[in-house]
Amino acid sequence: MTRTPELKAWGRSTIRTACPLDCPDSCTLEVTVEKGRVVKIDGGDANPATRDYICGKVRNFGERVYGEDRLLYPAVRKGLKGQGVFTRVTWNEALETIAGRMIAIRDTEGADAILPFSYGGSNGLLSQDTNDARLFRGFGTSRLARTVCAAPTGAANQALYGKMAGVTYADYVHAKLIVLWGVNPSASGIHLVPFVREAQKNGATLVVIDPRATALARLSDLHIAPRPGTDLPIALALHRHVFENGLADERFLAQHTRGAGDLRRRASEWTIPRAAEIAGVDPAAIERLASLYAASSPALIRCGWGIERNRNGGSAAAAILALPAVAGKFGVRGGGFSMSNSASWGIKAAAWMDETPEPATRLVNMNHLGRALTEYTDPPVRMLFVYNCNPLATMPDQNRVLEGLTREDLFTVVYEQVFTDTTRYADVLLPATTFLENYDIAKGYGPISLQLVQPAIEAEGEARPNAEVFSQLAARLGLGGAEEETDTLLRIASKLPESAAGLLETGIATPPFGGAPVQFVDVFPLTPDGKVDLFPEALDTSAPAGLYGYQPDPATPQYPLALISPASEKTISSTLGELRARPAALHMHPADAAARGLSQDDPVRVFNDLGEVQCPVGIDRNIRPGTVSLAKGLWRKSTYNNTTSNALVPDTLTDLGGGACFNDARVEVALLGRH
Ligand SMILES: Nc1nc2c(c(=O)[nH]1)N[C@H]1C(S)=C(S)[C@@H](COP(=O)(O)OP(=O)(O)OC[C@H]3O[C@@H](n4cnc5c(=O)[nH]c(N)nc54)[C@H](O)[C@@H]3O)O[C@H]1N2
Ligand SMILES: Nc1nc2c(c(=O)[nH]1)N[C@H]1C(S)=C(S)[C@@H](COP(=O)(O)OP(=O)(O)OC[C@H]3O[C@@H](n4cnc5c(=O)[nH]c(N)nc54)[C@H](O)[C@@H]3O)O[C@H]1N2
Ligand code: SF4
Ligand SMILES: [Mo]
């Protein structure tokens, strides 16, 4: 396989590819290239769910590719840690330095003193869990639990349904009731929005459950704005309502589920008034939702990731996902639930990683990065190898992460596209290609799609793709021969399930069930006995308050405000954060601002015992009182004092799955300068 022939052409050409960023939609892209440079990025129509439009972030992605922050050459640190002074070296020198250091660490303290650190840079199948895993597994480094996102929702979906495929975007138009629960598609998955609007035109009722009045909440029939972290009581009150009023689908429960009795018992204490009290909402609103849900069909719940980022996130996801089973909402097009569809192809990295099994080395929860770098002994972390991730911007307890990255005795490799916050603390910098410069396989987790990502341009500078760099490093360490990127692509493509045939030839595989399976008609639970497990024992044992057990709000009189950090339309996590211009504002309800004597644009301190963020305040009626919001994915330069919301986020873990509790940050806000 050779690189795209168009690359050789010097005229104007359009290349079809796909977007592998960590966004559910996975758009088909058409990239126009003139004289070897990208001049236009727009949507293509191969993936029908994304139609042929894309978001502004990727339309302007050229600003990243050609921007002044782009990393073009390998480099090593010259100045003090964090000073940001580097000297250019060759790839050979950079890889020799890293390999030498890895061997030295293994020979003195053991290979598990090396911690590879990666997450969402690209969701493609080539850039993660391929040659990187082969290298780190083969060398015996510490393992990383990639739990920063989707760990609690994933644990719940796995245990209840074995990650059965969910309702896809196109089928929303058939629903008569849509509940958007802790999800904001107007920012985080824009192609869902027209389907929701079309359903509304067809007469569907729209309910949004979100502490903020998002764009779709403002267009909804019912908006419930709970205190962050209280979705569990609301969901349990809905269960209680359904069970106690004889509205449960007993036949479905008997035939397709187990554990309904235990779920019913745990829900029995949650009357609607009690749940409403805890959630800080009007009981009449929950009452209305309960009646609507019981009476409507097809009824569809989209369970987002906003509900998982707190101490109750796993149980909340389980209780929400259990609703369609108890209330009998499956078996019709447009009915059931939708969440992540990433498992729908049945693709498992194990298919191409079998020859390098995972060793039983130390497992580090990525949400504990700060702790790992500053506290772990036996052995301490001596090398941190960061790729596909910007942990200084995106992980909890930012000040502790920073303290760790500043350690003189830590050797940090950062393999990146641009000069991020994390990059500044590197000892060795490696330049990575963007998806416009490499191959990949993009798997959507909203629509069920699988597409080929192919280079539209030659790599800028000396940037190289992950598949190639990790295999070259592995070869230097005696862990197999170096592989070209296209060889890795072919190897992985050959291990994909039959359903993915045709991907390399046509650029897009034909999804199972036409990409629109009906739950309990086309797809069934992939649990061991094929039933929905409404009360998985393993979850009950691992959750601190038991499964469906509510843990109270962590607010204190000193720090009464809940700080949330939802996805913004300007970045994907922190990707593209370099392009944000103005300082980001803390969103606050007028009543909370008045109580603190704050006016629009006042500079404020947002603080708790972990840290402080200084930024302007934006008075916003669309956020519930008692909750404040600062966008996810900010870079440190986006505030006055170089910290972001993560400086206020504790590194406590969710009840299930070891996830991050971003929205459990509790803070106070005051005018900057007044103490
Ligand atoms: N533009 C853009 N798109 C993205 C991303 C991005 O950063 N930018 N990130 C991608 C990734 S990695 C992910 S995981 C997804 C996330 O996409 P979403 O599922 O939309 O997740 P969030 O934006 O974290 O939160 C969604 C909503 O939940 C609300 N919320 C916060 N706490 C609670 C709560 O306790 N209960 C309830 N009911 N609601 C709550 C927030 O106000 C927010 O409006 O989006 C993906 N798409
Ligand atoms: N406060 C707060 N923090 C959050 C969240 C929140 O809700 N609130 N949400 C969390 C969520 S949902 C997620 S998913 C995480 C994501 O956190 P991260 O995994 O840190 O994701 P990004 O910020 O997108 O950083 C990915 C980096 O990988 C780089 N990259 C992209 N492609 C490649 C490649 O091919 N090779 C290499 N070597 N590098 C590449 C990009 O340039 C980018 O800097 O953030 C979490 N952080
Ligand atoms: S980030 Fe999402 S909406 Fe934007 S182009 Fe990529 S897949 Fe499409
Ligand atoms: Mo995420």
Side-chain angles (χ1 to χ4, degrees):
M1 188 153 177
T2 54
R3 288 172 72 91
T4 327
E6 283 91 334
L7 288 186
K8 309 261 179 316
W10 199 237
R12 188 184 169 97
S13 55
T14 299
I15 288 106
R16 195 179 91 191
T17 181
C19 176
L21 295 182
D22 191 348
C23 166
D25 294 6
S26 202
C27 293
T28 305
L29 301 178
E30 284 184 359
V31 182
T32 308
V33 174
E34 215 171 82
K35 295 187 179 153
R37 269 180 85 88
V38 172
V39 292
K40 189 173 169 215
I41 307 174
D42 215 331
D45 56 9
N47 178 357
T50 61
R51 301 185 175 173
D52 54 7
Y53 66 95
I54 60 168
C55 67
K57 301 177 290 297
V58 169
R59 242 185 289 119
N60 297 323
F61 203 81
E63 291 179 31
R64 160 163 281 217
V65 176
Y66 302 118
E68 58 182 24
D69 293 309
R70 186 76 200 271
L71 294 182
L72 297 172
Y73 308 104
V76 296
R77 172 164 72 90
K78 264 292 156 249
L80 296 171
K81 279 246 174 178
Q83 212 179 357
V85 184
F86 293 88
T87 314
R88 181 176 169 181
V89 295
T90 62
W91 267 104
N92 190 41
E93 285 169 308
L95 292 180
E96 271 307 304
T97 307
I98 296 167
R101 193 55 84 108
M102 286 177 76
I103 290 167
I105 291 174
R106 183 184 59 191
D107 292 349
T108 49
E109 296 189 75
D112 55 356
I114 299 168
L115 179 63
F117 205 87
S118 63
Y119 195 74
S122 152
N123 260 4
L125 300 183
L126 243 67
S127 42
Q128 196 155 286
D129 280 330
T130 54
N131 298 344
D132 53 332
R134 186 187 269 186
L135 164 70
F136 294 124
R137 287 178 179 192
F139 202 74
T141 67
S142 277
R143 293 172 299 150
L144 186 71
R146 291 208 194 102
T147 47
V148 73
C149 174
T153 44
N157 193 3
Q158 179 64 43
L160 269 73
Y161 292 97
K163 296 200 172 164
M164 172 175 80
V167 177
T168 51
Y169 290 7
D171 276 346
Y172 275 66
V173 301
H174 301 289
K176 285 290 166 243
L177 172 70
I178 297 174
V179 183
L180 299 178
W181 203 324
V183 65
N184 179 26
S186 307
S188 64
I190 57 172
H191 295 87
L192 179 56
V193 176
F195 294 107
V196 172
R197 299 293 287 148
E198 204 176 319
Q200 285 185 288
K201 276 196 208 101
N202 297 344
T205 304
L206 178 64
V207 179
V208 174
I209 307 178
D210 196 306
R212 301 183 305 152
T214 56
L216 282 171
R218 297 199 291 276
L219 295 167
S220 71
D221 302 283
L222 174 63
H223 172 211
I224 299 178
R227 280 193 187 103
T230 62
D231 303 286
L232 174 62
I234 295 176
L236 292 176
L238 298 180
H239 279 293
R240 183 180 187 277
H241 176 93
V242 171
F243 279 121
E244 306 288 308
N245 292 293
L247 299 166
D249 186 339
E250 297 297 347
R251 193 183 318 165
F252 183 89
L253 287 175
Q255 201 181 341
H256 291 291
T257 75
R258 54 216 206 75
D262 290 316
L263 165 59
R264 181 175 184 161
R265 262 187 297 284
R266 293 275 159 101
S268 65
E269 62 182 90
W270 289 102
T271 60
I272 288 177
R274 182 168 172 229
E277 165 81 33
I278 294 276
V281 302
D282 182 358
I286 303 183
E287 193 85 49
R288 186 162 163 226
L289 171 59
S291 311
L292 274 171
Y293 191 64
S296 309
S297 181
L300 174 53
I301 298 178
R302 176 147 181 90
C303 179
W305 293 272
I307 61 129
E308 77 164 19
R309 314 195 196 285
N310 65 76
R311 67 217 175 271
N312 296 312
S315 279
I320 292 168
L321 293 178
L323 280 165
V326 172
K329 300 300 173 188
F330 289 121
V332 284
R333 190 168 289 284
F337 70 81
S338 94
M339 207 168 74
S340 170
N341 263 330
S342 71
S344 306
W345 290 88
I347 294 173
K348 294 210 166 68
W352 51 88
M353 287 311 303
D354 277 353
E355 70 274 30
T356 319
E358 202 171 15
T361 52
R362 172 165 68 185
L363 181 65
V364 177
N365 185 319
M366 70 187 306
N367 297 313
H368 283 163
L369 176 61
R371 219 173 262 267
L373 294 181
T374 55
E375 269 182 14
Y376 284 17
T377 52
D378 205 23
V381 178
R382 292 291 183 205
M383 179 191 278
L384 181 72
F385 197 130
V386 180
Y387 60 105
N388 293 354
C389 195
N390 183 12
L392 186 50
T394 53
M395 296 300 132
D397 202 355
Q398 190 169 70
N399 288 321
R400 190 106 81 105
V401 173
L402 182 59
E403 187 190 329
L405 288 176
T406 323
R407 263 177 51 200
E408 273 302 329
D409 61 341
L410 175 73
F411 188 85
T412 303
V413 179
V414 182
Y415 180 23
E416 249 301 345
Q417 297 171 342
V418 294
F419 198 84
T420 62
D421 287 348
T422 308
T423 305
R424 176 169 288 273
Y425 293 87
D427 292 279
V428 177
L429 284 182
L430 302 175
T433 45
T434 65
F435 65 84
L436 296 173
E437 302 158 307
N438 56 232
Y439 283 100
D440 214 329
I441 297 172
K443 181 158 61 84
Y445 59 96
I448 302 176
S449 67
L450 196 67
Q451 296 177 88
L452 180 66
V453 177
Q454 49 185 345
I457 50 170
E458 295 289 354
E460 283 291 290
E462 292 182 1
R464 289 187 187 172
N466 287 16
E468 194 179 301
V469 168
F470 287 114
S471 111
Q472 285 173 349
L473 191 53
R476 271 166 210 266
L477 292 164
L479 298 166
E483 209 176 42
E484 295 278 318
E485 185 194 26
T486 42
D487 294 335
T488 308
L489 174 68
L490 292 175
R491 184 162 58 82
I492 287 177
S494 74
K495 301 269 170 68
L496 292 175
E498 201 126 310
S499 54
L503 173 72
L504 295 187
E505 290 69 39
T506 62
I508 184 161
T510 307
F513 308 105
V518 177
Q519 293 178 314
F520 286 88
V521 172
D522 302 313
V523 289
F524 293 87
L526 300 164
T527 48
D529 62 359
K531 291 189 169 184
V532 188
D533 191 349
L534 296 171
F535 200 83
E537 301 246 319
L539 300 193
D540 191 39
T541 317
S542 59
L547 181 59
Y548 306 126
Y550 175 75
Q551 301 186 72
D553 196 288
T556 60
Q558 205 182 358
Y559 304 121
L561 299 169
L563 170 69
I564 60 173
S565 38
S568 100
E569 71 283 358
K570 296 194 174 67
T571 62
I572 291 277
S573 296
S574 78
T575 299
L576 300 170
E578 74 271 23
L579 305 175
R580 271 192 92 115
R582 285 155 19 111
L586 178 82
H587 291 251
M588 184 181 239
H589 188 271
D592 290 326
R596 290 163 180 80
L598 301 172
S599 322
Q600 178 65 24
D601 296 331
D602 273 351
V604 293
R605 318 161 42 220
V606 191
F607 59 97
N608 62 21
D609 290 340
L610 292 172
E612 173 167 318
V613 178
Q614 300 175 355
C615 65
V617 71
I619 312 291
D620 186 353
R621 291 198 169 275
N622 289 324
I623 189 156
R624 66 165 276 136
T627 298
V628 290
S629 164
L630 187 61
K632 165 191 177 187
L634 297 179
W635 286 27
R636 298 171 72 214
K637 68 177 183 185
S638 287
T639 66
Y640 296 145
N641 68 332
N642 288 321
T643 59
T644 72
S645 60
N646 282 327
L648 305 165
V649 169
D651 72 352
T652 48
L653 301 177
T654 55
D655 52 350
L656 301 175
C661 290
F662 294 113
N663 297 341
D664 272 347
R666 296 294 178 268
V667 300
E668 185 48 281
V669 179
L671 192 65
L672 187 57
R674 196 201 298 152
H675 290 264

